[in-house]
Amino acid sequence: MQKRTVLQRLSLAGLAGLALSLPLALTGTAFAQAKPFKIGFILPMTGQQASTGRQIEAAAKLYMAQNGSTVSGRKIELVFKDDGGVADQTRRIAQELVVNDKVDVLAGFGLTPLALATAPIATQSKTPMVVTAAATSIITEQSPYIVRTSFTLPQVSVSIAEWAAKNKIKKVVTFVADYGPGLDAEKFFKSQFKLNGGEITGEIRSPLRSPDFAPFLQKVADLKPDAVFVFLPSGQGAAFMKQFGERGLDKSGIKLIATGDVTDDDQLNDMGDVALGVVNSHHYSAAHPSAANKKFVQAFEAQSKFRPNFMAVAGYDGMRVIYSALGATKGQGGGDALLAAMKGQVFESPRGQVLIDAQTRDIVQDVYIRKVEKQNGQLYNVEFDVQKAVKDPGKAK
Ligand code: PHB
């Protein structure tokens, strides 16, 4: 009865007046929270690096499915854009996302040149830029708005250099993709290996785009080192392994050691037995034996029908860093407030415990030494040693 009287008292004109005054009332916090919070992922979804885009997109969607599509009452919207792995495209898309779509955060960046091309836009627009793939050390120094959840090549190259020197490997030829992360891998492997008494007997670089590994592998065979140390970006490992086997290098007595980019979980099962026994170092393996990782891998495979790799885990953790930061600002966001809330985050990732270093905005994480083994008929990077809480050695002044 009471309800009815109230309703009867509200005239049509009164209702219209109420509707008109609503937008005016939505100012400040309320207005900000009514707007969706947009995360713009720029990824290579086509071209040579397409697997990186596919992995990170799947991981970001999984994170959202598991953690909800609102944070502190704010609706989250994910936008995915394909840059084809071309820096001019990345820059143009980033500009459009910031200016037209008004994204709150930029994320992704499948290759170093793509991250470098976007850094000035992050700085000028004060937009947090969460790098979930590219791994050259200097990237985080290109803008105070960059936070990285992937890794750096110095971080993983030092560990395998130490392992090699302690395991009767005296002479090494390095073989890397000829651009930022490859040069980082070469430099940091070399200095650590030499520090531990090893000798570098050759340095080979292959072009990033459409490489033909054959001539370089011939050079390795001619140089006859104890081992060849390899870094190639995610997506090139299977082609490299195939040629390594075809040229008989797996039976030549020259050991293959690498960063885990080469024995990438995305392609490992397609590599066949030539990959068996390859010792490599990295921050994530789909076989990492923790409860958190088992849960992650199971959920990821159920959703996507393929195995997550290190790109996926960085995308998943990138989402977590963004969600936590938005939560810390009670859904308000804002470039500087989000950045402040991203710095110093500590959490358990599927890869193990990680920290976003407040000074460098780069990730501090465990680095594992692994060996490719067959388990239940499938190839995995099986961890057998670990270096705890490794900071990017590229930043140690
Ligand atoms: C890079 O371009 O920074 C990059 C890409 C793929 C990797 C590692 C580094 O696996």
Side-chain angles (χ1 to χ4, degrees):
M1 283 304 278
Q2 181 83 19
K3 213 171 166 186
R4 204 166 157 210
T5 357
V6 173
L7 276 177
Q8 279 168 345
R9 264 198 255 139
L10 281 170
S11 67
L12 262 180
L15 268 177
L18 191 68
L20 276 176
S21 64
L22 261 178
L24 291 177
L26 282 178
T27 53
T29 309
F31 182 65
Q33 295 196 353
K35 268 200 320 177
F37 183 88
K38 293 188 190 170
I39 306 172
F41 275 92
I42 313 178
L43 293 166
M45 314 289 292
T46 51
Q48 203 173 268
Q49 250 60 46
S51 68
T52 294
R54 178 168 47 86
Q55 288 274 351
I56 294 174
E57 180 179 16
K61 287 180 172 167
L62 175 66
Y63 188 87
M64 195 173 202
Q66 291 177 332
N67 295 278
S69 55
T70 56
V71 173
S72 301
R74 189 98 183 255
K75 179 139 187 53
I76 309 291
E77 206 175 289
L78 301 184
V79 183
F80 293 96
K81 298 281 184 190
D82 175 20
D83 62 12
V86 179
D88 285 344
Q89 295 289 349
T90 321
R91 189 189 296 108
R92 182 185 57 74
I93 295 167
Q95 225 141 20
E96 281 174 13
L97 284 175
V98 166
V99 175
N100 301 340
D101 299 88
K102 308 220 170 357
V103 296
D104 296 278
V105 174
L106 291 164
F109 312 101
L111 288 168
T112 289
L114 317 181
L116 296 181
T118 309
I121 297 171
T123 305
Q124 282 152 23
S125 64
K126 298 186 189 295
T127 307
M129 171 173 160
V130 179
V131 175
T132 67
T136 303
S137 177
I138 53 146
I139 289 173
T140 43
E141 292 165 329
Q142 305 310 301
S143 168
Y145 288 89
I146 293 180
V147 166
R148 175 155 46 195
T149 60
S150 52
F151 72 110
T152 77
L153 264 306
Q155 203 171 38
V156 297
S157 301
V158 162
S159 305
I160 188 73
E162 269 177 16
W163 179 87
K166 285 183 191 148
N167 285 273
K168 302 199 178 80
I169 294 173
K170 303 257 180 294
K171 292 187 171 151
V172 166
V173 170
T174 58
F175 179 24
V176 301
D178 191 5
Y179 77 121
L183 305 189
D184 266 2
E186 181 191 274
K187 177 176 165 195
F188 282 83
F189 179 91
K190 182 174 159 182
S191 60
Q192 193 65 35
F193 190 58
K194 285 168 77 172
L195 198 70
N196 286 263
E199 190 187 341
I200 301 292
T201 55
E203 292 177 31
I204 302 171
R205 298 175 185 177
S206 65
L208 171 62
R209 306 281 171 193
S210 321
D212 170 14
F213 302 117
F216 305 113
L217 286 171
Q218 187 54 50
K219 220 168 146 191
V220 173
D222 294 344
L223 286 164
K224 294 192 178 54
D226 298 326
V228 55
F229 162 72
V230 183
F231 162 77
L232 293 168
S234 181
Q236 296 192 1
F240 172 81
M241 282 293 184
K242 187 161 173 274
Q243 292 191 26
F244 193 82
E246 279 169 3
R247 313 217 121 234
L249 269 109
D250 56 332
K251 302 191 175 64
S252 68
I254 299 171
K255 275 200 178 62
L256 173 57
I257 56 176
T259 66
D261 308 77
V262 178
T263 56
D264 183 347
D265 270 304
D266 188 77
Q267 297 187 324
L268 188 56
N269 255 328
D270 302 330
M271 292 181 192
D273 289 354
V274 61
L276 278 175
V278 173
V279 175
N280 65 89
S281 60
H282 231 205
H283 53 292
Y284 178 68
S285 164
H288 178 60
S290 72
N293 186 50
K294 286 197 175 111
K295 224 175 112 196
F296 169 70
V297 173
Q298 237 169 32
F300 188 97
E301 287 181 342
Q303 176 202 265
S304 310
K305 314 289 177 240
F306 54 88
R307 189 193 283 186
N309 72 354
F310 60 99
M311 294 298 186
V313 91
Y316 190 77
D317 289 345
M319 284 288 285
R320 182 189 169 117
V321 166
I322 298 166
Y323 266 49
S324 296
L326 182 58
T329 68
K330 302 200 164 39
Q332 284 267 48
D336 289 313
L338 288 170
L339 238 294
M342 287 177 182
K343 293 178 187 173
Q345 282 192 27
V346 178
F347 59 92
E348 198 198 348
S349 155
R351 64 187 112 173
Q353 168 124 331
V354 299
L355 155 73
I356 303 297
D357 184 334
Q359 264 80 51
T360 62
R361 290 160 281 102
D362 223 334
I363 191 159
V364 179
Q365 59 193 332
D366 297 347
V367 174
Y368 306 89
I369 308 289
R370 310 97 55 88
K371 188 186 225 170
V372 177
E373 289 176 9
K374 211 173 247 175
Q375 289 187 343
N376 306 321
Q378 295 204 33
L379 296 183
Y380 283 103
N381 289 295
V382 178
E383 296 164 359
F384 65 88
D385 203 358
V386 62
Q387 206 165 350
K388 302 293 280 182
V390 182
K391 277 188 165 200
D392 174 26
K395 308 241 169 37
K397 294 281 185 292

